[in-house]
Amino acid sequence: MSSAASRPGVGPFDRAHTDDLMAFLTASPSPYHAVASAAERLEKAGFRRVEETAAWDATSGGKYLIRGGAIIAWYVPEGAAAHTPYRIVGAHTDSPNLRVKPQPDMGAQGWRQVAVEIYGGTLLNTWLDRDLGLAGRLTLRDGSHRLVNVDRPLLRVPQLAIHLDRQVNDGLKLDRQRHMQPIWGIGEVHEGDLISFVSAEAGVDAEDVSGWDLMVHAVDAPAYLGRDRELLAGPRMDNLLSVHAATAALASLAGREDLPYIPVLAAFDHEENGSEADTGAQGPLLGNVLERSVYARGGSYEDRARALAGTVCLSSDTGHAVHPNYAERHDPTHHPRVNGGPILKVNVNQRYATDGSGRAVFAAACEKAGVPWQSFVSSNDMPCGTTIGPITAARHGITTVDIGVAILSMHSARELCGADDPYLLANALVAFLEG
């Protein structure tokens, strides 16, 4: 473990931040709920929502916009010049899960089931024999949306009994189409049943619903784990842990007029399936916001170029803690540990965007915050994952550094991290954003 800290932490957050993360995870079973939860926290800090379709003014202060499952928020200090650079924390709101198909009502052998599609690289077995809820958004005929969250046991993907598959412990094999359709009752299947049920839960007439983006979630509450409660188990830490930390860090800077940068939160959707969406990091959303902010303050194209040239982004996403049962899957000289502070993620083939200059920026922020940090690289004989970091760097031409929190059980329905790491990350992000 590398450490840039030789003194106790000096940031604003402590274990109470982790408590709040648990509430955030519970309130955010879908990307749409996650941005609503983030917006609620920003509103309390004095941020105001702006619309993409409205003209933007030159006023200072905190602002944010929401598009689908993405949120961009920024704070403009009083008197900020048009060419003021940005400090950005990037993250994503989506997590691997099971998502409802356009024709959801199905069944077999007297069981009523819900037709789902696999979203992202989920660990399929972690959704078996688990109490599941249903959440997302409904689109009404007038174009408006209504959030819905059935946060109680509603669905279940039952595993085949060992008596009918005696070799199951030698290797479970799941057919993504046939074996992952959850049950939610017994009896005859009727077209429209699921949407009628969900519409009633949302308090709207089913006839007014013209579209839906619904997904399954585990209803187990986040919980501290271990003899000394030094671990945290919960859903969607990849990557709502980073969204929550970045939101808290940005909100803590509200009212600060001495900032040399404009701090920004960019939480995108659809990272888990490639970021190619109007709400993804591959899309124009972030670039549009940065440009419009420059122009709203009377800036020119030259001011925009100057601002982006001085901008740095921390792409914050979870990474892999060393696994005690599979240590051979990790690089032998890089073993990130939980509660060891955030990790700096490096890959020379640009699966992560970090270089030496970026490392210096991150190390300086951790040192300022009194936060320990660690390095992560993949073993040479294992393929390396990626993040929004390289996308952000290439699309916008800005210095980008990949970081995150080390966890176990990534892409499981329920993941595991150290209970101190969420607030250590948030403290490092504050130091980074304030420069």
Side-chain angles (χ1 to χ4, degrees), residues 407-429:
I407 69 171
L408 291 182
S409 305
M410 186 184 294
H411 286 196
S412 170
R414 193 170 176 86
E415 297 162 324
L416 184 73
C417 75
D420 295 337
D421 283 328
Y423 71 80
L424 292 175
L425 173 65
N427 286 336
L429 295 184

mmCIF file of all heavy atoms in Angstrom, residues 407-429:
data_model
loop_
_atom_site.group_PDB
_atom_site.id
_atom_site.type_symbol
_atom_site.label_atom_id
_atom_site.label_comp_id
_atom_site.label_asym_id
_atom_site.label_seq_id
_atom_site.Cartn_x
_atom_site.Cartn_y
_atom_site.Cartn_z
ATOM 1 N N ILE A 407 -13.148 -2.976 -3.769
ATOM 2 C CA ILE A 407 -14.251 -3.759 -3.222
ATOM 3 C C ILE A 407 -14.080 -5.228 -3.594
ATOM 4 O O ILE A 407 -13.269 -5.595 -4.451
ATOM 5 C CB ILE A 407 -15.618 -3.256 -3.734
ATOM 6 C CG1 ILE A 407 -15.788 -3.554 -5.238
ATOM 7 C CG2 ILE A 407 -15.787 -1.769 -3.462
ATOM 8 C CD1 ILE A 407 -17.198 -3.274 -5.756
ATOM 9 N N LEU A 408 -14.859 -6.074 -2.960
ATOM 10 C CA LEU A 408 -15.013 -7.471 -3.352
ATOM 11 C C LEU A 408 -16.406 -7.670 -3.946
ATOM 12 O O LEU A 408 -17.305 -6.867 -3.737
ATOM 13 C CB LEU A 408 -14.828 -8.402 -2.155
ATOM 14 C CG LEU A 408 -13.419 -8.521 -1.550
ATOM 15 C CD1 LEU A 408 -13.437 -9.522 -0.398
ATOM 16 C CD2 LEU A 408 -12.393 -8.931 -2.595
ATOM 17 N N SER A 409 -16.570 -8.781 -4.663
ATOM 18 C CA SER A 409 -17.872 -9.170 -5.238
ATOM 19 C C SER A 409 -18.394 -8.163 -6.251
ATOM 20 O O SER A 409 -19.600 -7.961 -6.365
ATOM 21 C CB SER A 409 -18.914 -9.373 -4.130
ATOM 22 O OG SER A 409 -18.482 -10.295 -3.178
ATOM 23 N N MET A 410 -17.478 -7.536 -7.013
ATOM 24 C CA MET A 410 -17.921 -6.559 -8.008
ATOM 25 C C MET A 410 -18.879 -7.208 -9.010
ATOM 26 O O MET A 410 -18.662 -8.313 -9.469
ATOM 27 C CB MET A 410 -16.720 -5.960 -8.739
ATOM 28 C CG MET A 410 -17.083 -4.829 -9.697
ATOM 29 S SD MET A 410 -15.680 -4.194 -10.645
ATOM 30 C CE MET A 410 -14.696 -3.471 -9.344
ATOM 31 N N HIS A 411 -19.938 -6.496 -9.333
ATOM 32 C CA HIS A 411 -21.001 -6.901 -10.249
ATOM 33 C C HIS A 411 -21.905 -7.972 -9.662
ATOM 34 O O HIS A 411 -22.722 -8.564 -10.391
ATOM 35 C CB HIS A 411 -20.445 -7.349 -11.598
ATOM 36 C CG HIS A 411 -19.956 -6.207 -12.442
ATOM 37 N ND1 HIS A 411 -19.718 -6.329 -13.789
ATOM 38 C CD2 HIS A 411 -19.666 -4.921 -12.124
ATOM 39 C CE1 HIS A 411 -19.305 -5.177 -14.269
ATOM 40 N NE2 HIS A 411 -19.250 -4.300 -13.268
ATOM 41 N N SER A 412 -21.785 -8.226 -8.385
ATOM 42 C CA SER A 412 -22.747 -9.067 -7.684
ATOM 43 C C SER A 412 -23.982 -8.242 -7.350
ATOM 44 O O SER A 412 -23.952 -7.003 -7.344
ATOM 45 C CB SER A 412 -22.124 -9.616 -6.404
ATOM 46 O OG SER A 412 -23.101 -10.239 -5.590
ATOM 47 N N ALA A 413 -25.072 -8.927 -7.046
ATOM 48 C CA ALA A 413 -26.267 -8.225 -6.565
ATOM 49 C C ALA A 413 -26.003 -7.550 -5.224
ATOM 50 O O ALA A 413 -26.740 -6.642 -4.817
ATOM 51 C CB ALA A 413 -27.439 -9.203 -6.434
ATOM 52 N N ARG A 414 -24.936 -7.976 -4.553
ATOM 53 C CA ARG A 414 -24.585 -7.398 -3.258
ATOM 54 C C ARG A 414 -23.059 -7.416 -3.142
ATOM 55 O O ARG A 414 -22.447 -8.478 -3.158
ATOM 56 C CB ARG A 414 -25.235 -8.189 -2.128
ATOM 57 C CG ARG A 414 -25.214 -7.516 -0.770
ATOM 58 C CD ARG A 414 -26.107 -8.292 0.187
ATOM 59 N NE ARG A 414 -26.076 -7.756 1.532
ATOM 60 C CZ ARG A 414 -26.842 -6.757 1.974
ATOM 61 N NH1 ARG A 414 -27.683 -6.196 1.143
ATOM 62 N NH2 ARG A 414 -26.776 -6.339 3.220
ATOM 63 N N GLU A 415 -22.472 -6.235 -3.001
ATOM 64 C CA GLU A 415 -21.017 -6.079 -3.015
ATOM 65 C C GLU A 415 -20.489 -5.757 -1.620
ATOM 66 O O GLU A 415 -21.269 -5.552 -0.681
ATOM 67 C CB GLU A 415 -20.643 -4.987 -4.034
ATOM 68 C CG GLU A 415 -21.045 -5.377 -5.458
ATOM 69 C CD GLU A 415 -21.104 -4.210 -6.426
ATOM 70 O OE1 GLU A 415 -21.504 -3.094 -6.013
ATOM 71 O OE2 GLU A 415 -20.786 -4.406 -7.618
ATOM 72 N N LEU A 416 -19.163 -5.696 -1.471
ATOM 73 C CA LEU A 416 -18.542 -5.537 -0.156
ATOM 74 C C LEU A 416 -17.380 -4.557 -0.237
ATOM 75 O O LEU A 416 -16.515 -4.673 -1.115
ATOM 76 C CB LEU A 416 -18.035 -6.891 0.346
ATOM 77 C CG LEU A 416 -17.433 -6.933 1.751
ATOM 78 C CD1 LEU A 416 -18.530 -6.796 2.799
ATOM 79 C CD2 LEU A 416 -16.663 -8.235 1.969
ATOM 80 N N CYS A 417 -17.359 -3.603 0.692
ATOM 81 C CA CYS A 417 -16.241 -2.657 0.770
ATOM 82 C C CYS A 417 -15.859 -2.442 2.223
ATOM 83 O O CYS A 417 -16.533 -2.925 3.138
ATOM 84 C CB CYS A 417 -16.597 -1.315 0.111
ATOM 85 S SG CYS A 417 -17.699 -0.246 1.070
ATOM 86 N N GLY A 418 -14.776 -1.720 2.454
ATOM 87 C CA GLY A 418 -14.417 -1.313 3.795
ATOM 88 C C GLY A 418 -15.294 -0.142 4.235
ATOM 89 O O GLY A 418 -15.619 0.745 3.429
ATOM 90 N N ALA A 419 -15.686 -0.105 5.483
ATOM 91 C CA ALA A 419 -16.605 0.922 5.961
ATOM 92 C C ALA A 419 -15.970 2.308 6.023
ATOM 93 O O ALA A 419 -16.684 3.318 6.044
ATOM 94 C CB ALA A 419 -17.152 0.535 7.338
ATOM 95 N N ASP A 420 -14.631 2.382 6.048
ATOM 96 C CA ASP A 420 -13.958 3.681 6.081
ATOM 97 C C ASP A 420 -13.692 4.246 4.687
ATOM 98 O O ASP A 420 -13.568 5.459 4.517
ATOM 99 C CB ASP A 420 -12.618 3.569 6.822
ATOM 100 C CG ASP A 420 -12.781 3.226 8.284
ATOM 101 O OD1 ASP A 420 -13.874 3.500 8.838
ATOM 102 O OD2 ASP A 420 -11.828 2.684 8.877
ATOM 103 N N ASP A 421 -13.603 3.385 3.688
ATOM 104 C CA ASP A 421 -13.205 3.844 2.364
ATOM 105 C C ASP A 421 -14.157 4.857 1.728
ATOM 106 O O ASP A 421 -13.696 5.768 1.031
ATOM 107 C CB ASP A 421 -13.015 2.648 1.436
ATOM 108 C CG ASP A 421 -11.702 1.926 1.692
ATOM 109 O OD1 ASP A 421 -10.721 2.590 2.079
ATOM 110 O OD2 ASP A 421 -11.652 0.690 1.518
ATOM 111 N N PRO A 422 -15.482 4.744 1.924
ATOM 112 C CA PRO A 422 -16.353 5.761 1.311
ATOM 113 C C PRO A 422 -16.044 7.179 1.768
ATOM 114 O O PRO A 422 -15.993 8.104 0.945
ATOM 115 C CB PRO A 422 -17.759 5.318 1.739
ATOM 116 C CG PRO A 422 -17.644 3.839 1.897
ATOM 117 C CD PRO A 422 -16.280 3.632 2.496
ATOM 118 N N TYR A 423 -15.807 7.383 3.067
ATOM 119 C CA TYR A 423 -15.535 8.755 3.489
ATOM 120 C C TYR A 423 -14.087 9.177 3.209
ATOM 121 O O TYR A 423 -13.811 10.368 3.009
ATOM 122 C CB TYR A 423 -15.918 8.984 4.957
ATOM 123 C CG TYR A 423 -15.058 8.347 6.016
ATOM 124 C CD1 TYR A 423 -13.848 8.907 6.416
ATOM 125 C CD2 TYR A 423 -15.493 7.207 6.687
ATOM 126 C CE1 TYR A 423 -13.080 8.335 7.426
ATOM 127 C CE2 TYR A 423 -14.739 6.626 7.690
ATOM 128 C CZ TYR A 423 -13.532 7.194 8.057
ATOM 129 O OH TYR A 423 -12.769 6.629 9.053
ATOM 130 N N LEU A 424 -13.181 8.216 3.159
ATOM 131 C CA LEU A 424 -11.816 8.568 2.734
ATOM 132 C C LEU A 424 -11.822 9.063 1.287
ATOM 133 O O LEU A 424 -11.145 10.042 0.946
ATOM 134 C CB LEU A 424 -10.889 7.369 2.882
ATOM 135 C CG LEU A 424 -10.595 6.908 4.318
ATOM 136 C CD1 LEU A 424 -9.758 5.634 4.309
ATOM 137 C CD2 LEU A 424 -9.896 8.003 5.118
ATOM 138 N N LEU A 425 -12.594 8.389 0.430
ATOM 139 C CA LEU A 425 -12.728 8.851 -0.945
ATOM 140 C C LEU A 425 -13.344 10.241 -0.992
ATOM 141 O O LEU A 425 -12.843 11.129 -1.706
ATOM 142 C CB LEU A 425 -13.598 7.878 -1.749
ATOM 143 C CG LEU A 425 -13.959 8.331 -3.171
ATOM 144 C CD1 LEU A 425 -12.724 8.434 -4.040
ATOM 145 C CD2 LEU A 425 -14.991 7.392 -3.783
ATOM 146 N N ALA A 426 -14.420 10.462 -0.252
ATOM 147 C CA ALA A 426 -15.085 11.768 -0.276
ATOM 148 C C ALA A 426 -14.141 12.882 0.168
ATOM 149 O O ALA A 426 -14.131 13.976 -0.418
ATOM 150 C CB ALA A 426 -16.329 11.733 0.623
ATOM 151 N N ASN A 427 -13.327 12.639 1.178
ATOM 152 C CA ASN A 427 -12.381 13.648 1.637
ATOM 153 C C ASN A 427 -11.323 13.950 0.566
ATOM 154 O O ASN A 427 -10.930 15.112 0.373
ATOM 155 C CB ASN A 427 -11.705 13.205 2.931
ATOM 156 C CG ASN A 427 -12.630 13.307 4.120
ATOM 157 O OD1 ASN A 427 -13.580 14.078 4.113
ATOM 158 N ND2 ASN A 427 -12.374 12.509 5.155
ATOM 159 N N ALA A 428 -10.856 12.921 -0.122
ATOM 160 C CA ALA A 428 -9.900 13.143 -1.210
ATOM 161 C C ALA A 428 -10.533 13.942 -2.335
ATOM 162 O O ALA A 428 -9.890 14.812 -2.944
ATOM 163 C CB ALA A 428 -9.379 11.813 -1.736
ATOM 164 N N LEU A 429 -11.819 13.677 -2.625
ATOM 165 C CA LEU A 429 -12.498 14.408 -3.691
ATOM 166 C C LEU A 429 -12.691 15.881 -3.336
ATOM 167 O O LEU A 429 -12.592 16.757 -4.209
ATOM 168 C CB LEU A 429 -13.842 13.763 -3.984
ATOM 169 C CG LEU A 429 -13.817 12.334 -4.546
ATOM 170 C CD1 LEU A 429 -15.217 11.844 -4.878
ATOM 171 C CD2 LEU A 429 -12.900 12.240 -5.770
#
